[in-house]
Amino acid sequence: MYNSIVLVKQVPDTANISGKVMKEDGTVNRAKLPAIFNHEDKSALELALQIKDKFGGKVTAVTMGPARASDILRECLYMGADEVLLISDRKFAGADTLATSYVLSEAIKKVGDFDFIFAGRQAIDGDTAQVGPQTAEKINLPQITYAEEIIELSGKTVKIKRKIDGGHEILSAKLPVLVTVIKTAAEPRPFSAKRVMAYKNAKSLTDLESMAEGNSLLYVDALVHEYTSNSLFIPTMTMDDLKLDPARCGVNGSPTKVFKVESVVLAGGNHVTVEATKEGIGGLIDKLMEDHILG
Amino acid sequence: MSNFFLENSDLQFQFNNLNIKDIVDLTENNYQQKKDFNYAPKDYEDAIENYRKVLEVVGDLAANDIAPRAAEVDNVGAVFENGKVHYANGTLENLKQLSQADMMGMILPHKYGGLNFPFTVYMMATEVVSRADASLMNIFGLQDIGDTIRKFGTDKQRDEFLPHFATGEYTGAMALTEPDAGSDLQAVKLSAYQDEKGNWFLRGVKRFITNGNGDVLLVLARSEQGTKDARGLSMFVCYGDKTVVVRRIEHKLGIHGSPTCELQFNDTPAQLVGVRKFGLIKYVLDLMYRARMGVSAQSLGISQAAYEEALKYAKEREQFGKSIYSLPVITNMLLDMKVSIESNRSLFYSAAKYVDKKEKLEEHIEKLKAQGKPFSEETAKLKHIIKVANFLTPITKYVLSESANKITYDALQIHGGTGYMKEFKVERLARDARITNIYEGTSQLQVVGASGGVINDVLGDFFDEKELKEYKGGLSRLANYLKEIRGIFKDSLKYVLDKKENSFQDAASKDLVELYSYIYIGYLILDEAEIEPRKVFIANRYIINSMANARKNAESIKNELFSDILHADKILV
Ligand SMILES: Cc1cc2nc3c(=O)[nH]c(=O)nc-3n(C[C@H](O)[C@H](O)[C@H](O)COP(=O)(O)OP(=O)(O)OC[C@H]3O[C@@H](n4cnc5c(N)ncnc54)[C@H](O)[C@@H]3O)c2cc1C
């Protein structure tokens, strides 16, 4: 039996950026983009579910995000997660990877009882690949990044194949371990129809609060009670619930500042014809090395 | 992300106007199951929400997983090697995902692991899957085998087979056809015999069996030695074990992903399903009615896919300085396609609801009987529903499968030369469509199946009622056309009956069936046009076109186009 915590994130669908969602300054208006489940996080969840299918255990999906991030937690339930947790607070807004990993690491400690923490390698909005490693550091865990395959898992050790430039590397680690996962690691399973039907009405605290707001006959406490007793409540934690240091959360805890955003127009320039001979190719390689593209 | 359910506005229209509370109430046994199954609905609204959500999952899988694999599945196809059938990799992936998504037992009851969905909703899923890969529908659609065992098998058989269907572990096959028994299934020879302990065994050959390599086979066999007709046939269930030898699979025009097997049964142990001698006349007919709806869904899915391809291509392709989409001739073809698809869909879901109602009411009556409650009211209702369902099924199969051929033909035509090339999807669609009007009974047999209902005017009351209804504005003009078509139909029918000549009646039945179908479909769309203004366009083109066709049908009959059949030998030299 192995328990896993999976870190998941809702991201703007950057593959579908159109003119309409670009702001004047070249940044993206997130609110206008459809929000989706970060692909590599889905692969991470799939890997955790495969371990559960094979060895038993529990899978808990955790996300830090705005209220609407409960969408992807429902999707985690549809795929097979046993439990989910939404970490949400206005005070988390503007968090960089440092602040994010601080919050996540504290939430993980709170959930506790895990053998694996899985996360996607990176999220398509920030592309930093830092949150996983930073979280591991804060909890003082071994980490294996860019995981592509679990080669062996027995007792308290796992052997994992990770992708590196130009090849693979096989690492062993003692559990508990944090693993960041690339897309090719596992094809996410489709939603199970039965789970979709069972959990379609799962709601977070904020979801219930907005329900109550629109209807004077509903009370949040009663709703929470009702949803909890029907196993449809998505537990929600705020900064205070986690007893976090405000100075380390959100904008306050984020040393990374966007200095300038430039809109770069890529345009083709001159072209060079390379002879398809040994000499021609050799010349091309020399040139690429000179420009630090190769080597 | 594209989605074949969400992004099909007409399918959405049908879904949003399902109005199947009566069916769902019976299916869900008044919503008593929630306590045992956390996914069971708590009321009608909740059930509809369930269906919507699950169809979204099907739509997502179809658009983003199944459809992208379809070209490869078509290319590689199912292959036969060393006595074994291998699905294409894409087919295996598709089946794995559909199983993971709990979609392989959509209509099976909760207690066997199924979703307990109404047949109508299952048909929507079938349409969506077929649009992505028509050949996958054949295997997906064979989940009906499980449902047939549920309907006619014993409790022991249900427990033995159904849970494995629901998980997708078992796939099924329906083994009816033999070399000498195709359209005429009464001629089935495969023999079923008993040993002294009463165990049944099967011996003989079946051919053209879709997924004959499946795990569980329903087999129509002659259990009464020495008989020659339908009354000597019973239905059996057996495992596809080593006594069932796949001799070969067919190399065929389309649906390459679906293996079509020749099977030899070598003393295969089998179990009788239901009552002896009722194999063809009761169980196979029942199974075939639903399978015909499945093929209709397949036809509709293929049609939708072809239309999408044609529309996209027409917009992109430029000739004479503009996109061919704006050439009136091409626009006209696209409109014809779209109107056919939408009118077909109306007919299809109307028929599906009747089939659904029929099944649910039959079961309900069984339950009332078992509880010793009165059921005469239900029986009277059922009688009418059976008549309509058994009539609408062949009509639907006939109209939709012929239409799929026409639509793929036109879609290919819109592509010009590129449409003839393998690189374009429409080439596959045209090949796949071609089977739909052959199997599960050819179009000719569907006409035979529907003509009784036409002659007996099964929808007469429905039409009378509609004729009294007041339609507003432009719709009243179209309603008048429908009255006129009905007049034409009545005249033509009278002409045929007065002639009292069987061969003439046989030849004319296609025209009569078509005439009758225009009126029914016409009223369906007219009613839809009252809900949704855009549908007025659909109603307009459908009904005016039907008017023109009706005159042609009537001319053929009244000018005795078929009289030369008597002289065929002189002409067909
Ligand atoms: C790809 C494929 C998959 C199949 N899968 C299955 C399966 O899973 N299980 C199964 O049991 N069978 C299956 N079949 C068999 C299929 O159902 C038969 O091919 C079909 O019913 C027609 O029978 P036949 O081929 O013997 O044609 P015939 O019956 O020989 O018909 C030849 C022609 O005569 C016409 N005709 C025959 N009788 C009449 C009549 N009374 N009135 C008017 N016209 C008539 C037909 O319309 C047709 O045009 C499959 C066939 C194919 C091609």
Side-chain angles (χ1 to χ4, degrees), chain A residues 78-90:
Chain A
Y78 298 165
M79 279 175 68
D82 300 284
E83 282 174 25
V84 295
L85 172 62
L86 173 66
I87 307 166
S88 192
D89 200 313
R90 280 181 211 288

mmCIF file with all atom_site columns, all heavy atoms in Angstrom, chain A residues 78-90:
data_model
loop_
_atom_site.group_PDB
_atom_site.id
_atom_site.type_symbol
_atom_site.label_atom_id
_atom_site.label_alt_id
_atom_site.label_comp_id
_atom_site.label_asym_id
_atom_site.label_entity_id
_atom_site.label_seq_id
_atom_site.pdbx_PDB_ins_code
_atom_site.Cartn_x
_atom_site.Cartn_y
_atom_site.Cartn_z
_atom_site.occupancy
_atom_site.B_iso_or_equiv
_atom_site.pdbx_formal_charge
_atom_site.auth_seq_id
_atom_site.auth_comp_id
_atom_site.auth_asym_id
_atom_site.auth_atom_id
_atom_site.pdbx_PDB_model_num
ATOM 1   N N   . TYR A 1 78 ? -13.173 12.454 -10.786 1.00 0.00 ? 78 TYR A N   1
ATOM 2   C CA  . TYR A 1 78 ? -13.698 11.687 -11.920 1.00 0.00 ? 78 TYR A CA  1
ATOM 3   C C   . TYR A 1 78 ? -12.689 10.629 -12.374 1.00 0.00 ? 78 TYR A C   1
ATOM 4   O O   . TYR A 1 78 ? -13.038 9.563  -12.826 1.00 0.00 ? 78 TYR A O   1
ATOM 5   C CB  . TYR A 1 78 ? -14.003 12.587 -13.122 1.00 0.00 ? 78 TYR A CB  1
ATOM 6   C CG  . TYR A 1 78 ? -15.063 13.649 -12.898 1.00 0.00 ? 78 TYR A CG  1
ATOM 7   C CD1 . TYR A 1 78 ? -15.192 14.707 -13.794 1.00 0.00 ? 78 TYR A CD1 1
ATOM 8   C CD2 . TYR A 1 78 ? -15.935 13.586 -11.820 1.00 0.00 ? 78 TYR A CD2 1
ATOM 9   C CE1 . TYR A 1 78 ? -16.152 15.691 -13.610 1.00 0.00 ? 78 TYR A CE1 1
ATOM 10  C CE2 . TYR A 1 78 ? -16.899 14.564 -11.629 1.00 0.00 ? 78 TYR A CE2 1
ATOM 11  C CZ  . TYR A 1 78 ? -17.002 15.623 -12.534 1.00 0.00 ? 78 TYR A CZ  1
ATOM 12  O OH  . TYR A 1 78 ? -17.951 16.591 -12.359 1.00 0.00 ? 78 TYR A OH  1
ATOM 13  N N   . MET A 1 79 ? -11.406 10.973 -12.263 1.00 0.00 ? 79 MET A N   1
ATOM 14  C CA  . MET A 1 79 ? -10.386 10.013 -12.710 1.00 0.00 ? 79 MET A CA  1
ATOM 15  C C   . MET A 1 79 ? -10.135 8.933  -11.668 1.00 0.00 ? 79 MET A C   1
ATOM 16  O O   . MET A 1 79 ? -9.701  7.837  -12.019 1.00 0.00 ? 79 MET A O   1
ATOM 17  C CB  . MET A 1 79 ? -9.074  10.736 -13.029 1.00 0.00 ? 79 MET A CB  1
ATOM 18  C CG  . MET A 1 79 ? -9.067  11.382 -14.418 1.00 0.00 ? 79 MET A CG  1
ATOM 19  S SD  . MET A 1 79 ? -7.568  12.347 -14.722 1.00 0.00 ? 79 MET A SD  1
ATOM 20  C CE  . MET A 1 79 ? -6.314  11.056 -14.800 1.00 0.00 ? 79 MET A CE  1
ATOM 21  N N   . GLY A 1 80 ? -10.359 9.241  -10.403 1.00 0.00 ? 80 GLY A N   1
ATOM 22  C CA  . GLY A 1 80 ? -10.160 8.187  -9.405  1.00 0.00 ? 80 GLY A CA  1
ATOM 23  C C   . GLY A 1 80 ? -9.529  8.618  -8.102  1.00 0.00 ? 80 GLY A C   1
ATOM 24  O O   . GLY A 1 80 ? -9.273  7.775  -7.240  1.00 0.00 ? 80 GLY A O   1
ATOM 25  N N   . ALA A 1 81 ? -9.238  9.913  -7.930  1.00 0.00 ? 81 ALA A N   1
ATOM 26  C CA  . ALA A 1 81 ? -8.652  10.366 -6.663  1.00 0.00 ? 81 ALA A CA  1
ATOM 27  C C   . ALA A 1 81 ? -9.610  10.065 -5.517  1.00 0.00 ? 81 ALA A C   1
ATOM 28  O O   . ALA A 1 81 ? -10.824 10.189 -5.664  1.00 0.00 ? 81 ALA A O   1
ATOM 29  C CB  . ALA A 1 81 ? -8.373  11.864 -6.722  1.00 0.00 ? 81 ALA A CB  1
ATOM 30  N N   . ASP A 1 82 ? -9.041  9.648  -4.374  1.00 0.00 ? 82 ASP A N   1
ATOM 31  C CA  . ASP A 1 82 ? -9.894  9.345  -3.228  1.00 0.00 ? 82 ASP A CA  1
ATOM 32  C C   . ASP A 1 82 ? -10.306 10.604 -2.510  1.00 0.00 ? 82 ASP A C   1
ATOM 33  O O   . ASP A 1 82 ? -11.425 10.725 -2.029  1.00 0.00 ? 82 ASP A O   1
ATOM 34  C CB  . ASP A 1 82 ? -9.145  8.440  -2.253  1.00 0.00 ? 82 ASP A CB  1
ATOM 35  C CG  . ASP A 1 82 ? -8.752  7.138  -2.904  1.00 0.00 ? 82 ASP A CG  1
ATOM 36  O OD1 . ASP A 1 82 ? -9.637  6.293  -3.060  1.00 0.00 ? 82 ASP A OD1 1
ATOM 37  O OD2 . ASP A 1 82 ? -7.579  6.993  -3.305  1.00 0.00 ? 82 ASP A OD2 1
ATOM 38  N N   . GLU A 1 83 ? -9.360  11.523 -2.397  1.00 0.00 ? 83 GLU A N   1
ATOM 39  C CA  . GLU A 1 83 ? -9.657  12.763 -1.700  1.00 0.00 ? 83 GLU A CA  1
ATOM 40  C C   . GLU A 1 83 ? -9.042  13.933 -2.452  1.00 0.00 ? 83 GLU A C   1
ATOM 41  O O   . GLU A 1 83 ? -8.067  13.761 -3.186  1.00 0.00 ? 83 GLU A O   1
ATOM 42  C CB  . GLU A 1 83 ? -9.104  12.717 -0.274  1.00 0.00 ? 83 GLU A CB  1
ATOM 43  C CG  . GLU A 1 83 ? -10.000 11.898 0.637   1.00 0.00 ? 83 GLU A CG  1
ATOM 44  C CD  . GLU A 1 83 ? -9.425  11.697 2.014   1.00 0.00 ? 83 GLU A CD  1
ATOM 45  O OE1 . GLU A 1 83 ? -8.598  12.530 2.450   1.00 0.00 ? 83 GLU A OE1 1
ATOM 46  O OE2 . GLU A 1 83 ? -9.795  10.692 2.636   1.00 0.00 ? 83 GLU A OE2 1
ATOM 47  N N   . VAL A 1 84 ? -9.618  15.099 -2.222  1.00 0.00 ? 84 VAL A N   1
ATOM 48  C CA  . VAL A 1 84 ? -9.064  16.297 -2.847  1.00 0.00 ? 84 VAL A CA  1
ATOM 49  C C   . VAL A 1 84 ? -9.039  17.418 -1.822  1.00 0.00 ? 84 VAL A C   1
ATOM 50  O O   . VAL A 1 84 ? -9.759  17.373 -0.823  1.00 0.00 ? 84 VAL A O   1
ATOM 51  C CB  . VAL A 1 84 ? -9.898  16.741 -4.080  1.00 0.00 ? 84 VAL A CB  1
ATOM 52  C CG1 . VAL A 1 84 ? -9.833  15.704 -5.182  1.00 0.00 ? 84 VAL A CG1 1
ATOM 53  C CG2 . VAL A 1 84 ? -11.349 17.003 -3.690  1.00 0.00 ? 84 VAL A CG2 1
ATOM 54  N N   . LEU A 1 85 ? -8.202  18.377 -2.079  1.00 0.00 ? 85 LEU A N   1
ATOM 55  C CA  . LEU A 1 85 ? -8.075  19.506 -1.152  1.00 0.00 ? 85 LEU A CA  1
ATOM 56  C C   . LEU A 1 85 ? -7.817  20.775 -1.958  1.00 0.00 ? 85 LEU A C   1
ATOM 57  O O   . LEU A 1 85 ? -6.916  20.816 -2.804  1.00 0.00 ? 85 LEU A O   1
ATOM 58  C CB  . LEU A 1 85 ? -6.901  19.238 -0.195  1.00 0.00 ? 85 LEU A CB  1
ATOM 59  C CG  . LEU A 1 85 ? -6.477  20.380 0.731   1.00 0.00 ? 85 LEU A CG  1
ATOM 60  C CD1 . LEU A 1 85 ? -7.611  20.772 1.671   1.00 0.00 ? 85 LEU A CD1 1
ATOM 61  C CD2 . LEU A 1 85 ? -5.245  19.968 1.544   1.00 0.00 ? 85 LEU A CD2 1
ATOM 62  N N   . LEU A 1 86 ? -8.619  21.787 -1.676  1.00 0.00 ? 86 LEU A N   1
ATOM 63  C CA  . LEU A 1 86 ? -8.436  23.075 -2.332  1.00 0.00 ? 86 LEU A CA  1
ATOM 64  C C   . LEU A 1 86 ? -7.811  24.050 -1.344  1.00 0.00 ? 86 LEU A C   1
ATOM 65  O O   . LEU A 1 86 ? -8.307  24.206 -0.232  1.00 0.00 ? 86 LEU A O   1
ATOM 66  C CB  . LEU A 1 86 ? -9.790  23.623 -2.812  1.00 0.00 ? 86 LEU A CB  1
ATOM 67  C CG  . LEU A 1 86 ? -9.796  25.039 -3.377  1.00 0.00 ? 86 LEU A CG  1
ATOM 68  C CD1 . LEU A 1 86 ? -9.005  25.113 -4.682  1.00 0.00 ? 86 LEU A CD1 1
ATOM 69  C CD2 . LEU A 1 86 ? -11.231 25.519 -3.628  1.00 0.00 ? 86 LEU A CD2 1
ATOM 70  N N   . ILE A 1 87 ? -6.700  24.636 -1.756  1.00 0.00 ? 87 ILE A N   1
ATOM 71  C CA  . ILE A 1 87 ? -6.075  25.644 -0.909  1.00 0.00 ? 87 ILE A CA  1
ATOM 72  C C   . ILE A 1 87 ? -6.299  26.973 -1.595  1.00 0.00 ? 87 ILE A C   1
ATOM 73  O O   . ILE A 1 87 ? -5.818  27.193 -2.712  1.00 0.00 ? 87 ILE A O   1
ATOM 74  C CB  . ILE A 1 87 ? -4.581  25.361 -0.761  1.00 0.00 ? 87 ILE A CB  1
ATOM 75  C CG1 . ILE A 1 87 ? -4.413  23.915 -0.296  1.00 0.00 ? 87 ILE A CG1 1
ATOM 76  C CG2 . ILE A 1 87 ? -3.947  26.310 0.236   1.00 0.00 ? 87 ILE A CG2 1
ATOM 77  C CD1 . ILE A 1 87 ? -3.019  23.445 -0.448  1.00 0.00 ? 87 ILE A CD1 1
ATOM 78  N N   . SER A 1 88 ? -7.077  27.796 -0.957  1.00 0.00 ? 88 SER A N   1
ATOM 79  C CA  . SER A 1 88 ? -7.522  28.991 -1.658  1.00 0.00 ? 88 SER A CA  1
ATOM 80  C C   . SER A 1 88 ? -7.656  30.162 -0.694  1.00 0.00 ? 88 SER A C   1
ATOM 81  O O   . SER A 1 88 ? -8.207  30.009 0.393   1.00 0.00 ? 88 SER A O   1
ATOM 82  C CB  . SER A 1 88 ? -8.880  28.695 -2.324  1.00 0.00 ? 88 SER A CB  1
ATOM 83  O OG  . SER A 1 88 ? -9.197  29.714 -3.216  1.00 0.00 ? 88 SER A OG  1
ATOM 84  N N   . ASP A 1 89 ? -7.125  31.274 -1.101  1.00 0.00 ? 89 ASP A N   1
ATOM 85  C CA  . ASP A 1 89 ? -7.190  32.469 -0.259  1.00 0.00 ? 89 ASP A CA  1
ATOM 86  C C   . ASP A 1 89 ? -6.812  33.641 -1.156  1.00 0.00 ? 89 ASP A C   1
ATOM 87  O O   . ASP A 1 89 ? -5.880  33.535 -1.954  1.00 0.00 ? 89 ASP A O   1
ATOM 88  C CB  . ASP A 1 89 ? -6.179  32.347 0.897   1.00 0.00 ? 89 ASP A CB  1
ATOM 89  C CG  . ASP A 1 89 ? -6.540  33.284 2.044   1.00 0.00 ? 89 ASP A CG  1
ATOM 90  O OD1 . ASP A 1 89 ? -6.821  34.469 1.773   1.00 0.00 ? 89 ASP A OD1 1
ATOM 91  O OD2 . ASP A 1 89 ? -6.538  32.816 3.198   1.00 0.00 ? 89 ASP A OD2 1
ATOM 92  N N   . ARG A 1 90 ? -7.524  34.737 -1.013  1.00 0.00 ? 90 ARG A N   1
ATOM 93  C CA  . ARG A 1 90 ? -7.155  35.915 -1.807  1.00 0.00 ? 90 ARG A CA  1
ATOM 94  C C   . ARG A 1 90 ? -5.714  36.317 -1.540  1.00 0.00 ? 90 ARG A C   1
ATOM 95  O O   . ARG A 1 90 ? -5.036  36.866 -2.396  1.00 0.00 ? 90 ARG A O   1
ATOM 96  C CB  . ARG A 1 90 ? -8.052  37.096 -1.459  1.00 0.00 ? 90 ARG A CB  1
ATOM 97  C CG  . ARG A 1 90 ? -9.393  37.025 -2.131  1.00 0.00 ? 90 ARG A CG  1
ATOM 98  C CD  . ARG A 1 90 ? -10.251 38.227 -1.797  1.00 0.00 ? 90 ARG A CD  1
ATOM 99  N NE  . ARG A 1 90 ? -11.661 37.879 -1.797  1.00 0.00 ? 90 ARG A NE  1
ATOM 100 C CZ  . ARG A 1 90 ? -12.351 37.615 -2.901  1.00 0.00 ? 90 ARG A CZ  1
ATOM 101 N NH1 . ARG A 1 90 ? -11.771 37.683 -4.067  1.00 0.00 ? 90 ARG A NH1 1
ATOM 102 N NH2 . ARG A 1 90 ? -13.619 37.299 -2.835  1.00 0.00 ? 90 ARG A NH2 1
#
